[in-house]
Amino acid sequence: FFFSSRRRHTRCSRDWSSDVCSSDLQDACDAVAAEINAAFGEGRAIAIAASISDKAALQALVDQTRAAWGQIDVLVCNAASNPYYGPLAGIADDQFRKILDNNILSNHWLITMVAPEMKERGEGSVVIVSSIGGLRGSTVIGAYCISKAADMQLARNLAHEYGKHGIRVNCIAPGLIKTDFAKALWEDEKAVAERNRTTPLRRIGEPEEIAGAVVYLASPASAFMTGQTMVIDGGVTI
């Protein structure tokens, strides 16, 4: 998860932002925060570890973010899990519940935690990172696909509920991206070669190619966009 607080510097009349990076591993969070601070100046980002399956930990994350930066303007829900690979007939109940809880319910929790202050200010942006799996079926990651389709509907529903308060809720649906989460797919040379062959851009995506969409949805440039899903997949779903 990623939070951003944008404040106006009154003397310079320009915007600056402060960021909070979170995952369940503090070391990983620290590394991302250090990278941001090295690039944009010390004190720009802080790291707070929290498990997406722990509601109390997520509330503590939100509370510590407010304590550090004063307010939350942007929430990016980028965490997910997929503990099962195979047909739905073989998935255990606890595996299915973990996918639904981590990929849908945790997003709902966090959005509910940050929405009140956004409503009070009359503005805010929420970005849920879904997947093109939510647009297609799969014989091996079906439960994950179901959860990602639900994220798209979560964005549509909340866009209706919060729109009158100036809060926008959108989704991003990436294709196969070269991340640790998808390593089992892109490290298989035969599988990735076939994916590249059937992808109009003839390659898989890089994380930086998703980041630009997050920046757009977090910024005033997308002020008239809500409840939508941006597909970024090299053309796979066309």
Side-chain angles (χ1 to χ4, degrees):
F1 294 97
F2 181 87
F3 297 98
S4 178
S5 175
R6 296 193 303 275
R7 305 175 186 174
R8 183 163 294 280
H9 192 296
T10 55
R11 290 187 180 182
C12 299
S13 294
R14 67 178 179 84
D15 288 328
W16 61 278
S17 67
S18 304
D19 308 319
V20 176
C21 310
S22 181
S23 76
D24 58 345
L25 301 175
Q26 186 65 49
D27 289 348
C29 298
D30 289 339
V32 173
E35 186 177 346
I36 293 172
N37 287 328
F40 300 103
E42 196 61 35
R44 167 71 179 265
I46 60 175
I48 304 170
S51 170
I52 57 175
S53 61
D54 186 336
K55 189 174 185 179
L58 294 182
Q59 184 63 63
L61 168 63
V62 171
D63 293 342
Q64 290 178 58
T65 300
R66 289 199 188 103
W69 305 127
Q71 66 185 54
I72 297 169
D73 296 282
V74 179
L75 166 65
V76 181
C77 299
N78 187 42
S81 63
N82 184 42
Y84 176 76
Y85 189 85
L88 279 174
I91 192 170
D93 288 350
D94 61 336
Q95 292 174 316
F96 210 150
R97 290 193 183 99
K98 181 175 182 178
I99 291 171
L100 299 181
D101 285 350
N102 289 354
N103 298 1
I104 309 167
L105 187 58
S106 65
N107 293 339
H108 166 69
W109 284 342
L110 267 172
I111 295 168
T112 301
M113 291 171 187
V114 304
E117 67 175 272
M118 292 181 175
K119 289 170 66 175
E120 189 174 329
R121 291 193 307 271
E123 64 175 358
S125 177
V126 176
V127 182
I128 302 171
V129 179
S130 181
S131 166
I132 61 170
L135 300 170
R136 311 192 307 173
S138 172
T139 59
V140 290
I141 56 170
Y144 177 80
C145 292
I146 290 167
S147 72
K148 290 304 181 177
D151 279 335
M152 296 176 191
Q153 186 60 33
L154 180 63
R156 287 189 286 266
N157 274 28
L158 294 182
H160 269 293
E161 293 184 24
Y162 294 140
K164 62 185 177 183
H165 301 291
I167 303 171
R168 299 179 297 106
V169 187
N170 291 288
C171 270
I172 294 172
L176 180 56
I177 307 296
K178 196 174 184 180
T179 63
D180 287 343
F181 184 81
K183 185 177 289 187
L185 298 175
W186 57 261
E187 278 194 334
D188 184 331
E189 294 184 6
K190 184 176 180 181
V192 81
E194 177 61 19
R195 170 59 72 92
N196 290 345
R197 185 187 68 80
T198 57
T199 300
L201 289 183
R202 297 297 189 268
R203 63 179 178 84
I204 66 173
E206 297 288 341
E208 293 79 7
E209 294 171 317
I210 305 303
V214 175
V215 172
Y216 168 71
L217 291 174
S219 77
S222 59
F224 198 52
M225 180 175 177
T226 194
Q228 303 301 314
T229 297
M230 292 180 64
V231 177
I232 309 173
D233 65 353
V236 169
T237 53
I238 63 173

